[in-house]
Amino acid sequence: MKKFLGLEKVKTAVFISGTGSNLKSLIKFSHKKSSPIKIQLVISNNKKAKGLNISKKYKIKNKVYSFDQKKSAEKKILDDLNKNQIYLVCLAGFMKILSKNFIKKFKGKIINIHPSLLPKYKGLNTHKRAINNGDKFSGCTVHFINSKVDSGKIILQKKVKIVKKDTSEVLAKRILKQEHYLYPLAIKKVLINL
Ligand code: GRF
């Protein structure tokens, strides 16, 4: 990963599928003078993603591609990334698995946020699984993407306590708050090497 030296901000794309609360927090972070990124492009596989309204509100270009034909969708996305000179890709609630070929083309430059303390609970329903297993803590992880789902090198993690009366919804909300704090920190770590 190239280092941010405080001159030109690193052109970044955020991939979403749903609400986009992480997108919103990343946009706010990107507006800070000390932030190393500029969000240039939002990509979604879902035309109904609420997060698309956030990109519109902040006047960030967005593109939507159905993944029914994954190969062609990914080809178009790679074109968009190249045209927009994107250097960093942040997955934020993006619910599609990118192909090995795509990951290879952007090797070491795609990061993701996942709502568990990886390597525990890869995949879906992380909160429910943590509660059902009687775990005392859960949390969130920002990690690099490699060819195996939720298995790339960990950049940062934040622990969140699970309390007795937690439902997965309540825990999800508490963890999401920490995600909004963790993702910007992880980006700084990767680009500035804090
Ligand atoms: C977050 O919990 C993220 O960790 C997971 O999907 C959720 C997306 O939330 N991958 P939002 O769309 O950023 O609000």
Side-chain angles (χ1 to χ4, degrees):
M1 187 73 75
K2 80 174 170 192
K3 245 187 169 180
F4 170 68
L5 297 170
L7 299 166
E8 210 179 324
K9 291 199 179 196
V10 173
K11 293 188 175 105
T12 300
V14 181
F15 287 24
I16 60 165
S17 299
T19 316
S21 69
N22 276 292
L23 168 65
K24 191 173 174 186
S25 102
L26 289 180
I27 293 172
K28 290 197 162 162
F29 165 64
S30 74
H31 289 162
K32 291 189 178 159
K33 211 175 166 198
S34 62
S35 165
I37 59 163
K38 175 177 187 340
I39 300 175
Q40 196 90 352
L41 184 62
V42 171
I43 300 276
S44 175
N45 65 302
N46 172 14
K47 61 175 192 270
K48 292 188 178 147
K50 280 192 190 161
L52 290 170
N53 295 327
I54 298 172
S55 70
K56 281 174 204 150
K57 183 175 165 201
Y58 288 94
K59 298 191 169 51
I60 297 169
K61 202 186 315 175
N62 70 65
K63 296 267 188 168
V64 180
Y65 297 111
S66 153
F67 265 57
D68 290 350
Q69 297 198 338
K70 182 166 164 170
K71 219 175 168 182
S72 95
E74 286 191 341
K75 195 170 175 290
K76 287 175 192 155
I77 294 173
L78 278 172
D79 268 1
D80 288 334
L81 298 181
N82 288 331
K83 269 187 211 145
N84 288 279
Q85 296 173 303
I86 299 298
Y87 181 81
L88 177 70
V89 170
C90 295
L91 307 183
F94 185 64
M95 300 306 282
K96 294 288 170 189
I97 293 170
L98 295 165
S99 71
K100 277 188 187 157
N101 174 55
F102 188 97
I103 294 165
K104 212 169 87 190
K105 295 237 160 79
F106 248 75
K107 204 169 176 250
K109 296 176 195 163
I110 312 177
I111 62 179
N112 180 43
I113 187 145
H114 182 77
S116 80
L117 294 174
L118 289 173
K120 265 192 155 178
Y121 310 125
K122 297 171 183 173
L124 299 175
N125 302 318
T126 55
H127 310 303
K128 197 171 162 199
R129 286 152 70 201
I131 290 171
N132 288 350
N133 278 343
D135 291 1
K136 292 209 161 47
F137 290 95
S138 188
C140 45
T141 305
V142 180
H143 64 96
F144 285 103
I145 290 288
N146 66 8
S147 56
K148 284 192 197 140
V149 175
D150 299 329
S151 300
K153 190 175 171 226
I154 291 171
I155 301 163
L156 275 183
Q157 289 188 306
K158 175 82 184 163
K159 261 187 179 181
V160 173
K161 201 166 190 273
I162 300 178
V163 294
K164 259 200 183 148
K165 58 175 195 242
D166 266 340
T167 59
S168 44
E169 290 76 21
V170 171
L171 179 61
K173 268 194 190 161
R174 222 162 53 243
I175 291 179
L176 195 58
K177 255 195 181 166
Q178 296 305 319
E179 292 183 32
H180 300 157
Y181 160 81
L182 191 70
Y183 215 161
L185 276 188
I187 290 173
K188 277 191 171 181
K189 184 171 176 196
V190 158
L191 292 174
I192 309 179
N193 231 343
L194 276 183

